[in-house]
Amino acid sequence: LSSESTRGTRSADSTLESRPTTDELREWHATMVLIREFERVCEKRAAVGKIPGGMHSAAGQEAVAVGSIRALEPADLITSSHRCHHHAIAAGLTPNEIMAELYGKVDGCLGGRGGHMHIADFSRHLYGSNGVVGGGLGIAVGLALGSKVRREAQVALAFFGDGGASLGRVWENVNLASLWKLPIVIVCENNLYAVETHISDAMAGESIAGRAAGFGLPCMTVDGQDVLEVYDAVRAARDRAAADEGPTFIEAQTYRYDGHNTGDQQRYRTAAEVDAWRLERDPIERLRKELIDHGALTPEDVVQIDEAAVGAVEEASLFADSSPWPDPATASAGVTA
Ligand SMILES: Cc1ncc(C[n+]2csc(CCOP(=O)(O)OP(=O)(O)O)c2C)c(N)n1
Ligand SMILES: [Mg+2]
């Protein structure tokens, strides 16, 4: 459970055919387990008011974040959405600094001034979670434009949700990305719901990827519960973008296990629907089974990985609890009139 990002673990001359190593897959699995445990504990901490304003859990969507971010090279750039902890952990932020930020404490990644919807760390190239639905995509388009103008090989990766796919702002940015052939990979995490609204009640047309195709860029749909399928699609898209061949749009079909945000009573879906996704398509169980079947993980390893995740998140909670509040006198530091 290294806190170091393992982005770009493949050699620069790797081909599309090359597969992640067993060690890499083991790290992906451990990171997904850590995300799941982080969300489990955060839900509890938010429910008792430790996380002011509540939060949006990404439990169930781990493979989208890990598969996408592991397909990047270290210099690449990421923007997130309001549902963001899986992106932040996959990008290499530690549970301690994320948890302290969620609590609003001084040891958080932004000194406790950002909170859940402003988790960022420019040193790890994470340009923020975002309370504006679809807002991160606009920032990523700007990052990709900057990279192209400077002739740097940095690719931007943007995440947004199916609800964002019904916003004009999202398509304005997809249009510009395609028109200007920007080095960007656009990942829509289609978890079927925008707050309480099922996608079938909100969206005309066949699919989100189908909509995107109208903007003249390669578009595809992937199984977002299959980390390798996500990785392959994003890696190919990343390679295209780095070769100055323009953007790619990827719709990753996924599912959130928890409510939309803290306190959601979930009257808009059945427990049976949630259980079916958990039992039949869980991204961690799938990868775990594959690794065990191939002798890359033992049942003892699994116990140890689960325990390590519990320990790391327990430590993060203690760390956040004991971290001081920011000094009110510094509240406007850096703000100019
Ligand atoms: C511009 C804007 N409109 C509305 C909201 C309120 N809002 C917050 S999350 C959300 C639903 C987003 O759904 P989706 O894009 O599918 O992401 P998910 O929550 O499923 O991850 C809405 C409507 C907002 N934050 N920003
Ligand atoms: Mg959604």
Side-chain angles (χ1 to χ4, degrees):
L1 289 173
S2 160
S3 62
E4 289 302 306
S5 166
T6 58
R7 262 185 269 164
T9 45
R10 300 187 340 156
S11 64
D13 62 356
S14 61
T15 64
L16 278 182
E17 286 71 40
S18 73
R19 307 300 302 149
T21 65
T22 302
D23 279 350
E24 285 168 354
L25 290 173
R26 287 165 57 98
E27 187 277 330
W28 297 5
H29 167 262
T31 301
M32 287 163 64
V33 170
L34 178 62
I35 293 168
R36 179 74 55 86
E37 175 62 12
F38 190 82
E39 297 298 48
R40 189 187 70 80
V41 172
C42 280
E43 281 282 290
K44 291 184 184 302
R45 308 310 280 162
V48 295
K50 285 282 185 182
I51 298 176
M55 52 157 272
H56 307 86
S57 161
Q61 301 184 203
E62 297 86 356
V64 184
V66 172
S68 299
I69 291 173
R70 290 296 174 270
L72 300 181
E73 292 296 325
D76 292 341
L77 312 159
I78 305 163
T79 65
S80 177
S81 63
H82 55 285
R83 198 172 303 287
C84 57
H85 304 164
H86 54 334
H87 306 145
I89 290 174
L93 277 72
T94 65
N96 282 15
E97 62 194 326
I98 304 171
M99 190 71 87
E101 189 60 42
L102 299 181
Y103 277 47
K105 298 295 192 73
V106 79
D107 293 309
C109 55
L110 292 181
R113 300 289 193 204
H116 164 65
M117 285 196 276
H118 303 95
I119 300 287
D121 182 347
F122 293 178
S123 73
R124 276 126 166 177
H125 299 181
L126 178 64
Y127 285 81
S129 53
N130 203 310
V132 179
V133 170
L137 176 57
I139 295 170
V141 164
L143 292 168
L145 178 61
S147 167
K148 182 155 180 144
V149 167
R150 291 194 304 270
R151 296 180 194 282
E152 285 169 6
Q154 283 176 301
V155 172
L157 169 69
F159 293 103
F160 69 97
D162 50 288
S166 284
L167 286 176
R169 128 177 358 99
V170 161
W171 300 114
E172 289 169 31
N173 281 298
V174 173
N175 180 60
L176 286 181
S178 182
L179 182 70
W180 294 339
K181 267 180 71 181
L182 296 183
I184 183 170
V185 182
I186 302 168
V187 175
C188 177
E189 293 186 73
N190 177 5
N191 63 9
L192 297 179
Y193 290 92
V195 193
E196 303 193 346
T197 306
H198 191 270
I199 188 167
S200 59
D201 293 324
M203 210 192 78
E206 288 286 306
S207 71
I208 297 170
R211 269 188 185 180
F215 293 91
L217 74 169
C219 300
M220 67 202 66
T221 302
V222 297
D223 181 349
Q225 308 306 81
D226 181 337
V227 70
L228 274 161
E229 194 174 319
V230 175
Y231 172 86
D232 284 341
V234 176
R235 184 72 206 182
R238 197 245 159 235
D239 289 346
R240 272 193 81 242
D244 203 21
E245 289 168 18
T248 303
F249 188 102
I250 299 168
E251 174 189 345
Q253 296 180 328
T254 184
Y255 197 75
R256 67 165 155 76
Y257 291 165
D258 295 315
H260 169 71
N261 60 0
T262 309
D264 177 2
Q265 299 299 307
Q266 302 187 61
R267 295 204 180 94
Y268 49 87
R269 64 180 183 181
T270 62
E273 178 184 302
V274 183
D275 287 347
W277 278 84
R278 278 185 186 272
L279 292 174
E280 292 158 26
R281 299 186 62 176
D282 185 73
I284 297 175
E285 289 304 325
R286 274 180 164 186
L287 180 59
R288 184 171 276 189
K289 183 176 180 318
E290 209 161 310
L291 290 172
I292 290 174
D293 287 351
H294 287 85
L297 269 189
T298 64
E300 294 75 37
D301 292 334
V302 168
V303 171
Q304 202 199 347
I305 289 162
D306 287 349
E307 283 176 359
V310 169
V313 180
E314 236 170 53
E315 188 201 314
S317 296
L318 293 172
F319 179 79
D321 266 322
S322 62
S323 174
W325 296 104
D327 178 359
T330 65
S332 59
V335 177
T336 49

